[in-house]
Every structure is written in C-alpha cells, then in structure tokens.
Amino acid sequence: VTTSAATSLAAEQATLNGTVNANNAATTVTFEYGTTIALGTTITITGDVTGTTDTPIAYTLTGLDPSTTYYYRIVGTNTAGTANGDIVSFSTTPVGTGTNVDPYQIATLNDLKWLSDTKSAWVAGTYFIQTADIDASATSAWDAGDGFSPIGNGIDNFYGNYDGSNHLITGLTINRSTSDHMGLFACLN
C-alpha cells in the first residue's frame, strides 16, 4: 500500500492517489483524510481490489475548503490484515484559476502561505489579486521562528503577476539572517 501525491488540485477539490497490491486476496480500499494528521474522515472506494500487481487507485474529493492543507493516506484491508500508506499532505488552491480574467484571490494568510509554498504557481502568465488586508502576525512563530518563506528564492524566481489592489499585509515576519533575497517577494523576473 503506497500513498501517492494528490493531483488536480483546485479551490474546492483534489484527487487522492495511491496503489494497492492485494496479494491475491479481495482487498477493501479506503482513503482517510482530514485537516490534521489525525485524519478523521474515511472514504471507501467502490469495489474490492484483487490480483497480485500494484493497482493504481484515485478518488476525487469535492467540497473542500479553499487554501487549506489536508492530510491523507490510502488503506488496504483484507483477510491478512490492514496496511496503511504513509500520510501525505496537499493544499487546495485559493479561489480563482490564475488567469488574467480569473486571478487567484489572495484574501487570507492561508492564501499567502499557499502562494509561498506553491512554486508551480510562480510561472509567467499566472495572475494573483489581493482582495483583503492580511494580518500576517502569526508568521512570527512559523518555521521555528524563521517566519514566512519568501516567494521566489534565487533558484525558483517568481514570474507571475501580483496585484495588491491597495490592500495591506501587516505583521509579516521574515527572520532568515543567513539567507539572501528576503522580503515578501525575494526574487522576481
């Protein structure tokens, strides 16, 4: 049983992935997920898995909250017992699709953290609009006191378009004295 990375991430949905080898016993497959590593919600996949090869399993969750980190794992249960995959995480996107007519809406600290964590969104042609003032004072406790991880880092630069729309970000902490390129945006192109 192996938990794989989530795919097709959007504001309110994600596809959970994993593989199960039933070892020739009818195996019930579930995904457990939640907003903490305690998980808490279980989805049973329709139909047992059988056979002796790795079988890919995917399930699309809907109704998720935008800009939220979720944790999940795949679980296989048969007559030999229960096997749990590793717990992995994913974050849903902010509202929007990232285009110039439907930019990602950055309205909360979670949205800003998603932008900081999601290097794949830093590409040219991706658009963001800040839709509210953001209190970032919680960043003082992030990353063992190092605070917010800047967007763009000298290796992976930010090529996107960010429109702050005259909104403020207050209380942002970045305490990375051994690093160059510090600021909300560290390296831009």
Side-chain angles (χ1 to χ4, degrees):
V1 174
T2 303
T3 309
S4 304
T7 55
S8 302
L9 301 176
E12 297 177 355
Q13 73 177 39
T15 300
L16 309 183
N17 299 289
T19 56
V20 173
N21 185 324
N23 292 317
N24 233 9
T27 300
T28 301
V29 178
T30 58
F31 282 105
E32 298 174 337
Y33 74 96
T35 56
T36 69
I37 60 171
L39 307 175
T41 303
T42 301
I43 301 290
T44 301
I45 305 306
T46 305
D48 285 347
V49 172
T50 59
T52 58
T53 60
D54 289 347
T55 302
I57 307 292
Y59 183 84
T60 300
L61 286 175
T62 59
L64 301 176
D65 292 327
S67 300
T68 301
T69 299
Y70 289 88
Y71 300 85
Y72 78 99
R73 69 178 169 199
I74 192 167
V75 178
T77 303
N78 61 26
T79 56
T82 298
N84 297 321
D86 290 338
I87 296 174
V88 298
S89 67
F90 67 89
S91 294
T92 52
T93 67
V95 172
T97 59
T99 65
N100 63 336
V101 295
D102 186 26
Y104 288 120
Q105 297 177 30
I106 307 300
T108 67
L109 188 54
N110 279 345
D111 294 337
L112 202 58
K113 184 172 185 334
W114 173 87
L115 177 54
S116 170
D117 291 344
T118 310
K119 293 177 186 178
S120 62
W122 299 354
V123 298
T126 306
Y127 292 79
F128 306 87
I129 188 166
Q130 189 170 327
T131 59
D133 291 344
I134 297 173
D135 176 3
S137 57
T139 59
S140 65
W142 288 6
D143 201 10
D146 286 346
F148 184 80
S149 180
I151 300 163
N153 58 27
I155 297 169
D156 298 302
N157 295 341
F158 181 79
Y159 292 82
N161 299 280
Y162 190 95
D163 178 353
S165 295
N166 294 316
H167 289 288
L168 301 175
I169 298 172
T170 57
L172 185 71
T173 297
I174 301 173
N175 186 23
R176 298 169 185 269
S177 60
T178 60
S179 300
D180 294 331
H181 311 295
M182 292 296 105
L184 175 63
F185 292 93
C187 287
L188 306 171
N189 268 12

PDB file of all heavy atoms in Angstrom, residues 14 16 23 28 31 35 46 51 75 80 83 85 98-99 119 121 125 132 136 138 147 155 158 168 174:
ATOM      1  N   ALA A  14      -9.704  17.925  -4.940  1.00  0.00           N
ATOM      2  CA  ALA A  14      -8.394  17.334  -5.170  1.00  0.00           C
ATOM      3  C   ALA A  14      -8.602  15.849  -5.446  1.00  0.00           C
ATOM      4  O   ALA A  14      -9.562  15.249  -4.959  1.00  0.00           O
ATOM      5  CB  ALA A  14      -7.491  17.512  -3.958  1.00  0.00           C
ATOM      6  N   LEU A  16      -7.129  12.221  -4.773  1.00  0.00           N
ATOM      7  CA  LEU A  16      -6.246  11.439  -3.916  1.00  0.00           C
ATOM      8  C   LEU A  16      -5.769  10.234  -4.712  1.00  0.00           C
ATOM      9  O   LEU A  16      -6.542   9.638  -5.471  1.00  0.00           O
ATOM     10  CB  LEU A  16      -6.980  10.980  -2.662  1.00  0.00           C
ATOM     11  CG  LEU A  16      -7.723  12.055  -1.867  1.00  0.00           C
ATOM     12  CD1 LEU A  16      -8.327  11.450  -0.606  1.00  0.00           C
ATOM     13  CD2 LEU A  16      -6.806  13.218  -1.536  1.00  0.00           C
ATOM     14  N   ASN A  23      -2.261  -8.862  -3.085  1.00  0.00           N
ATOM     15  CA  ASN A  23      -1.629 -10.147  -2.773  1.00  0.00           C
ATOM     16  C   ASN A  23      -2.614 -11.306  -2.865  1.00  0.00           C
ATOM     17  O   ASN A  23      -2.667 -12.187  -2.015  1.00  0.00           O
ATOM     18  CB  ASN A  23      -0.936 -10.103  -1.408  1.00  0.00           C
ATOM     19  CG  ASN A  23       0.253  -9.179  -1.425  1.00  0.00           C
ATOM     20  OD1 ASN A  23       1.036  -9.176  -2.380  1.00  0.00           O
ATOM     21  ND2 ASN A  23       0.379  -8.349  -0.393  1.00  0.00           N
ATOM     22  N   THR A  28     -10.392  -4.375   0.469  1.00  0.00           N
ATOM     23  CA  THR A  28     -11.180  -3.152   0.538  1.00  0.00           C
ATOM     24  C   THR A  28     -10.217  -1.980   0.667  1.00  0.00           C
ATOM     25  O   THR A  28      -9.290  -2.011   1.486  1.00  0.00           O
ATOM     26  CB  THR A  28     -12.128  -3.187   1.752  1.00  0.00           C
ATOM     27  OG1 THR A  28     -12.999  -4.315   1.625  1.00  0.00           O
ATOM     28  CG2 THR A  28     -12.957  -1.915   1.839  1.00  0.00           C
ATOM     29  N   PHE A  31      -9.614   5.730   1.609  1.00  0.00           N
ATOM     30  CA  PHE A  31      -8.745   6.880   1.849  1.00  0.00           C
ATOM     31  C   PHE A  31      -9.213   7.508   3.146  1.00  0.00           C
ATOM     32  O   PHE A  31     -10.416   7.707   3.356  1.00  0.00           O
ATOM     33  CB  PHE A  31      -8.851   7.914   0.726  1.00  0.00           C
ATOM     34  CG  PHE A  31      -8.096   7.561  -0.519  1.00  0.00           C
ATOM     35  CD1 PHE A  31      -8.768   7.119  -1.644  1.00  0.00           C
ATOM     36  CD2 PHE A  31      -6.713   7.680  -0.574  1.00  0.00           C
ATOM     37  CE1 PHE A  31      -8.081   6.807  -2.804  1.00  0.00           C
ATOM     38  CE2 PHE A  31      -6.012   7.358  -1.722  1.00  0.00           C
ATOM     39  CZ  PHE A  31      -6.700   6.920  -2.854  1.00  0.00           C
ATOM     40  N   THR A  35      -7.954  17.667   8.105  1.00  0.00           N
ATOM     41  CA  THR A  35      -7.120  18.875   8.130  1.00  0.00           C
ATOM     42  C   THR A  35      -6.005  18.797   9.177  1.00  0.00           C
ATOM     43  O   THR A  35      -5.264  19.754   9.358  1.00  0.00           O
ATOM     44  CB  THR A  35      -7.977  20.132   8.377  1.00  0.00           C
ATOM     45  OG1 THR A  35      -8.713  19.950   9.590  1.00  0.00           O
ATOM     46  CG2 THR A  35      -8.935  20.369   7.215  1.00  0.00           C
ATOM     47  N   THR A  46     -15.358   2.113  -4.139  1.00  0.00           N
ATOM     48  CA  THR A  46     -16.307   1.098  -4.589  1.00  0.00           C
ATOM     49  C   THR A  46     -15.579  -0.060  -5.257  1.00  0.00           C
ATOM     50  O   THR A  46     -14.743   0.142  -6.128  1.00  0.00           O
ATOM     51  CB  THR A  46     -17.320   1.700  -5.577  1.00  0.00           C
ATOM     52  OG1 THR A  46     -17.940   2.817  -4.956  1.00  0.00           O
ATOM     53  CG2 THR A  46     -18.363   0.689  -5.984  1.00  0.00           C
ATOM     54  N   GLY A  51      -5.902  -9.520  -7.150  1.00  0.00           N
ATOM     55  CA  GLY A  51      -4.732  -9.741  -8.001  1.00  0.00           C
ATOM     56  C   GLY A  51      -3.431  -9.647  -7.232  1.00  0.00           C
ATOM     57  O   GLY A  51      -3.409  -9.519  -6.008  1.00  0.00           O
ATOM     58  N   VAL A  75      -5.526   3.125   2.535  1.00  0.00           N
ATOM     59  CA  VAL A  75      -5.545   1.984   3.456  1.00  0.00           C
ATOM     60  C   VAL A  75      -6.114   0.778   2.715  1.00  0.00           C
ATOM     61  O   VAL A  75      -7.133   0.900   2.019  1.00  0.00           O
ATOM     62  CB  VAL A  75      -6.411   2.284   4.704  1.00  0.00           C
ATOM     63  CG1 VAL A  75      -6.478   1.081   5.633  1.00  0.00           C
ATOM     64  CG2 VAL A  75      -5.883   3.512   5.436  1.00  0.00           C
ATOM     65  N   ALA A  80      -5.659 -10.810   5.469  1.00  0.00           N
ATOM     66  CA  ALA A  80      -4.332 -10.803   6.093  1.00  0.00           C
ATOM     67  C   ALA A  80      -4.158  -9.651   7.077  1.00  0.00           C
ATOM     68  O   ALA A  80      -3.204  -9.627   7.848  1.00  0.00           O
ATOM     69  CB  ALA A  80      -3.248 -10.728   5.012  1.00  0.00           C
ATOM     70  N   ALA A  83      -3.250  -2.584   5.995  1.00  0.00           N
ATOM     71  CA  ALA A  83      -1.982  -1.911   5.705  1.00  0.00           C
ATOM     72  C   ALA A  83      -2.277  -0.444   5.429  1.00  0.00           C
ATOM     73  O   ALA A  83      -3.158  -0.122   4.621  1.00  0.00           O
ATOM     74  CB  ALA A  83      -1.288  -2.556   4.505  1.00  0.00           C
ATOM     75  N   GLY A  85      -0.914   3.297   4.152  1.00  0.00           N
ATOM     76  CA  GLY A  85       0.107   4.052   3.440  1.00  0.00           C
ATOM     77  C   GLY A  85       0.591   5.195   4.313  1.00  0.00           C
ATOM     78  O   GLY A  85      -0.012   5.516   5.352  1.00  0.00           O
ATOM     79  N   GLY A  98      -6.199  31.540 -11.774  1.00  0.00           N
ATOM     80  CA  GLY A  98      -4.870  32.045 -12.056  1.00  0.00           C
ATOM     81  C   GLY A  98      -4.714  32.714 -13.409  1.00  0.00           C
ATOM     82  O   GLY A  98      -3.607  33.050 -13.810  1.00  0.00           O
ATOM     83  N   THR A  99      -5.827  32.940 -14.097  1.00  0.00           N
ATOM     84  CA  THR A  99      -5.751  33.633 -15.389  1.00  0.00           C
ATOM     85  C   THR A  99      -5.923  35.134 -15.180  1.00  0.00           C
ATOM     86  O   THR A  99      -6.317  35.573 -14.092  1.00  0.00           O
ATOM     87  CB  THR A  99      -6.849  33.136 -16.347  1.00  0.00           C
ATOM     88  OG1 THR A  99      -8.133  33.499 -15.805  1.00  0.00           O
ATOM     89  CG2 THR A  99      -6.775  31.625 -16.542  1.00  0.00           C
ATOM     90  N   LYS A 119       5.513  26.581  -5.654  1.00  0.00           N
ATOM     91  CA  LYS A 119       6.441  27.074  -6.677  1.00  0.00           C
ATOM     92  C   LYS A 119       5.865  26.919  -8.076  1.00  0.00           C
ATOM     93  O   LYS A 119       6.163  27.707  -8.963  1.00  0.00           O
ATOM     94  CB  LYS A 119       7.774  26.349  -6.576  1.00  0.00           C
ATOM     95  CG  LYS A 119       8.543  26.661  -5.328  1.00  0.00           C
ATOM     96  CD  LYS A 119       9.828  25.858  -5.249  1.00  0.00           C
ATOM     97  CE  LYS A 119      10.494  26.093  -3.916  1.00  0.00           C
ATOM     98  NZ  LYS A 119      11.713  25.289  -3.773  1.00  0.00           N
ATOM     99  N   ALA A 121       3.111  27.663  -9.086  1.00  0.00           N
ATOM    100  CA  ALA A 121       2.247  28.809  -9.401  1.00  0.00           C
ATOM    101  C   ALA A 121       3.056  30.071  -9.695  1.00  0.00           C
ATOM    102  O   ALA A 121       2.479  31.107 -10.013  1.00  0.00           O
ATOM    103  CB  ALA A 121       1.288  29.079  -8.238  1.00  0.00           C
ATOM    104  N   GLY A 125       2.481  34.245 -16.669  1.00  0.00           N
ATOM    105  CA  GLY A 125       1.104  34.055 -17.107  1.00  0.00           C
ATOM    106  C   GLY A 125       0.152  33.643 -16.003  1.00  0.00           C
ATOM    107  O   GLY A 125      -1.019  33.372 -16.258  1.00  0.00           O
ATOM    108  N   ALA A 132      -8.136  41.509   0.196  1.00  0.00           N
ATOM    109  CA  ALA A 132      -8.394  41.982   1.556  1.00  0.00           C
ATOM    110  C   ALA A 132      -7.066  42.293   2.230  1.00  0.00           C
ATOM    111  O   ALA A 132      -6.017  41.799   1.809  1.00  0.00           O
ATOM    112  CB  ALA A 132      -9.147  40.920   2.364  1.00  0.00           C
ATOM    113  N   ALA A 136      -0.546  39.193   9.076  1.00  0.00           N
ATOM    114  CA  ALA A 136       0.433  38.100   8.991  1.00  0.00           C
ATOM    115  C   ALA A 136       1.216  37.930  10.288  1.00  0.00           C
ATOM    116  O   ALA A 136       2.291  37.327  10.292  1.00  0.00           O
ATOM    117  CB  ALA A 136       1.375  38.356   7.824  1.00  0.00           C
ATOM    118  N   ALA A 138       0.925  35.983  12.693  1.00  0.00           N
ATOM    119  CA  ALA A 138       1.151  34.580  13.062  1.00  0.00           C
ATOM    120  C   ALA A 138       2.439  34.035  12.467  1.00  0.00           C
ATOM    121  O   ALA A 138       2.971  33.022  12.939  1.00  0.00           O
ATOM    122  CB  ALA A 138      -0.029  33.717  12.630  1.00  0.00           C
ATOM    123  N   GLY A 147       9.996  32.420  10.405  1.00  0.00           N
ATOM    124  CA  GLY A 147       8.896  33.180   9.821  1.00  0.00           C
ATOM    125  C   GLY A 147       8.529  32.743   8.417  1.00  0.00           C
ATOM    126  O   GLY A 147       8.762  31.611   8.007  1.00  0.00           O
ATOM    127  N   ILE A 155      16.630  30.509  -6.922  1.00  0.00           N
ATOM    128  CA  ILE A 155      16.675  29.317  -7.774  1.00  0.00           C
ATOM    129  C   ILE A 155      15.375  29.247  -8.574  1.00  0.00           C
ATOM    130  O   ILE A 155      15.385  29.072  -9.787  1.00  0.00           O
ATOM    131  CB  ILE A 155      16.874  28.038  -6.926  1.00  0.00           C
ATOM    132  CG1 ILE A 155      18.223  28.098  -6.212  1.00  0.00           C
ATOM    133  CG2 ILE A 155      16.764  26.790  -7.794  1.00  0.00           C
ATOM    134  CD1 ILE A 155      18.408  27.044  -5.154  1.00  0.00           C
ATOM    135  N   PHE A 158       9.954  34.217  -9.033  1.00  0.00           N
ATOM    136  CA  PHE A 158       8.535  34.487  -9.263  1.00  0.00           C
ATOM    137  C   PHE A 158       8.382  35.235 -10.581  1.00  0.00           C
ATOM    138  O   PHE A 158       8.903  36.330 -10.745  1.00  0.00           O
ATOM    139  CB  PHE A 158       7.947  35.309  -8.109  1.00  0.00           C
ATOM    140  CG  PHE A 158       6.489  35.600  -8.268  1.00  0.00           C
ATOM    141  CD1 PHE A 158       5.540  34.641  -7.977  1.00  0.00           C
ATOM    142  CD2 PHE A 158       6.056  36.843  -8.723  1.00  0.00           C
ATOM    143  CE1 PHE A 158       4.189  34.909  -8.121  1.00  0.00           C
ATOM    144  CE2 PHE A 158       4.711  37.119  -8.870  1.00  0.00           C
ATOM    145  CZ  PHE A 158       3.775  36.144  -8.566  1.00  0.00           C
ATOM    146  N   LEU A 168      -3.243  45.881   2.417  1.00  0.00           N
ATOM    147  CA  LEU A 168      -2.050  45.781   3.247  1.00  0.00           C
ATOM    148  C   LEU A 168      -1.784  44.344   3.670  1.00  0.00           C
ATOM    149  O   LEU A 168      -2.706  43.547   3.811  1.00  0.00           O
ATOM    150  CB  LEU A 168      -2.213  46.628   4.510  1.00  0.00           C
ATOM    151  CG  LEU A 168      -2.467  48.119   4.322  1.00  0.00           C
ATOM    152  CD1 LEU A 168      -2.721  48.778   5.667  1.00  0.00           C
ATOM    153  CD2 LEU A 168      -1.300  48.768   3.605  1.00  0.00           C
ATOM    154  N   ILE A 174       9.977  37.813   8.694  1.00  0.00           N
ATOM    155  CA  ILE A 174      10.972  37.028   7.970  1.00  0.00           C
ATOM    156  C   ILE A 174      12.266  37.210   8.736  1.00  0.00           C
ATOM    157  O   ILE A 174      12.821  38.303   8.796  1.00  0.00           O
ATOM    158  CB  ILE A 174      11.127  37.495   6.513  1.00  0.00           C
ATOM    159  CG1 ILE A 174       9.789  37.377   5.771  1.00  0.00           C
ATOM    160  CG2 ILE A 174      12.213  36.691   5.809  1.00  0.00           C
ATOM    161  CD1 ILE A 174       9.805  37.981   4.385  1.00  0.00           C
TER     162      ILE A 174
END
